[in-house]
Amino acid sequence: MALDQSFVGRTYPATDPYEVGREKIREFAEAVGDAHPAYTDPEAAKALGHPDVIAPPTFVFAITFRAAERVVQDPQLGLDYSRVVHGDQKFAYSRPVRAGDRLSVTSTIESIKSMAGNDLVSVRGDVHDEHGEHVVTAYTMLVARAAEEA
Amino acid sequence: MAARISFDDVEVGQELPSRSFPVTRADLVRYAGASGDFNPIHWNEKFAKEVGLPDVIAHGMFTMAEAVRVATDWAGDPGALVEYGVRFTKPVVVPNDDEGAVIEVGGKIGAKDDEARTVRVDLLVKSAGQKVLGMSRAVIRLA
């Protein structure tokens, strides 16, 4: 079933702020095995010109994906979420995420396509801090695989 | 921010030091906890096979996090990353043993932007001889 094209361009309200903690950044950096000191040592981060420890580049996905999930699980859109896999991911950074940030995500459906029975939904997540400064935009393409392929 | 590499010292076609990143089931459990992505395809073999996968697979975002280190460690400051995108083309299958899988990452300078003083690092990301990420590119602002 083709998805409703009228959802293209729809923007969803900003999420409640997510407060980025130093220990959460440390936990994430350890989980991806990345020992760069800018993630755990405030002095090392300051030496590179950052006001506090920064998060690894993909850290923000945990926040933007939760926002994108709200979109693709919108019952009106009618996507079969049990068949969804991650197709593409891109980030465009204005600055790195850092400890103390309170981040909100505004999600927009950029495109909806059907290809060989698969539904492709592209969601843009614009991430701003508590001062309204743009931090990063996440572009997430999700693929709902055709039912007959399961 | 403050990359350690100078823009003027970099040439298109230049290779970056390649890296190998091991990944075991234990790593995936830890990543699930840290990222909040508890999809059972990343830790439950029975479930993974039921949905048509050969075995448990690594989170695409785990592989994406590993791959970019070839670019960020080279540049010296992960905060100098301007843009980073990948396509998830093949899953990284992680067997249930002590060795797990290995993600192999190579990188080279694909383009330079003189005005922005950025370089595009094209990453080649493979596991078990197969390319697992496509169109994997990191744009970094250099000193």
Side-chain angles (χ1 to χ4, degrees):
Chain A
M1 184 189 71
L3 294 173
D4 185 350
Q5 284 291 325
S6 72
F7 275 76
V8 175
R10 186 173 295 207
T11 295
Y12 291 71
T15 56
D16 290 337
Y18 174 102
E19 187 165 329
V20 179
R22 281 187 186 180
E23 293 306 326
K24 189 65 194 176
I25 291 176
R26 177 195 300 275
E27 181 191 7
F28 186 88
E30 285 176 354
V32 295
D34 193 334
H36 197 290
Y39 303 141
T40 49
D41 176 0
E43 294 310 314
K46 282 174 190 160
L48 292 169
H50 306 293
D52 202 331
V53 293
I54 62 170
T58 60
F59 175 89
V60 75
F61 181 75
I63 307 166
T64 59
F65 186 61
R66 225 161 286 163
E69 264 185 331
R70 281 202 327 191
V71 176
V72 298
Q73 289 183 344
D74 184 339
Q76 289 179 42
L77 179 62
L79 201 67
D80 182 356
Y81 196 69
S82 69
R83 300 189 179 283
V84 166
V85 295
H86 201 175
D88 296 1
Q89 183 61 43
K90 191 173 105 175
F91 300 102
Y93 305 89
S94 288
R95 66 162 175 84
V97 167
R98 55 195 178 224
D101 274 339
R102 290 171 58 82
L103 303 176
S104 297
V105 188
T106 308
S107 299
T108 303
I109 296 183
E110 288 220 303
S111 72
I112 297 174
K113 288 175 196 152
S114 284
M115 248 181 211
N118 300 325
D119 291 315
L120 282 54
V121 180
S122 293
V123 181
R124 189 181 87 230
D126 293 306
V127 181
H128 291 86
D129 69 11
E130 68 273 34
H131 309 296
E133 185 195 351
H134 178 259
V135 178
V136 55
T137 292
Y139 300 85
T140 303
M141 202 270 281
L142 298 168
V143 183
R145 290 172 300 151
E148 56 273 16
E149 279 183 6
Chain B
M1 297 288 154
R4 290 196 195 101
I5 306 278
S6 169
F7 179 80
D8 299 324
D9 293 342
V10 175
E11 285 172 21
V12 172
Q14 182 181 328
E15 303 244 354
L16 273 51
S18 53
R19 304 271 296 271
S20 289
F21 302 101
V23 46
T24 65
R25 293 282 178 91
D27 293 323
L28 298 184
V29 171
R30 191 154 69 152
Y31 182 79
S35 68
D37 182 347
F38 295 102
N39 188 330
I41 59 174
H42 306 305
W43 50 268
N44 184 332
E45 191 167 324
K46 179 170 172 282
F47 183 90
K49 286 180 173 164
E50 273 170 14
V51 297
L53 293 166
D55 202 338
V56 162
I57 62 167
H59 302 72
M61 291 305 299
F62 179 89
T63 307
M64 189 175 181
E66 300 303 303
V68 78
R69 290 166 59 190
V70 162
T72 55
D73 282 350
W74 167 77
D77 180 5
L81 192 62
V82 176
E83 206 175 284
Y84 178 37
V86 307
R87 176 161 294 168
F88 302 104
T89 47
K90 280 240 170 10
V92 174
V93 177
V94 182
N96 187 22
D97 57 29
D98 292 341
E99 278 156 37
V102 178
I103 299 164
E104 288 160 21
V105 187
K108 69 174 182 189
I109 305 299
K112 284 182 82 174
D113 183 331
D114 291 315
E115 214 159 290
R117 292 183 76 79
T118 58
V119 295
R120 194 188 77 214
V121 178
D122 296 344
L123 300 163
L124 180 62
V125 187
K126 295 169 97 172
S127 186
Q130 291 212 300
K131 194 170 168 181
V132 293
L133 297 182
M135 296 292 289
S136 185
R137 293 171 164 183
V139 177
I140 295 200
R141 183 167 293 118
L142 296 181

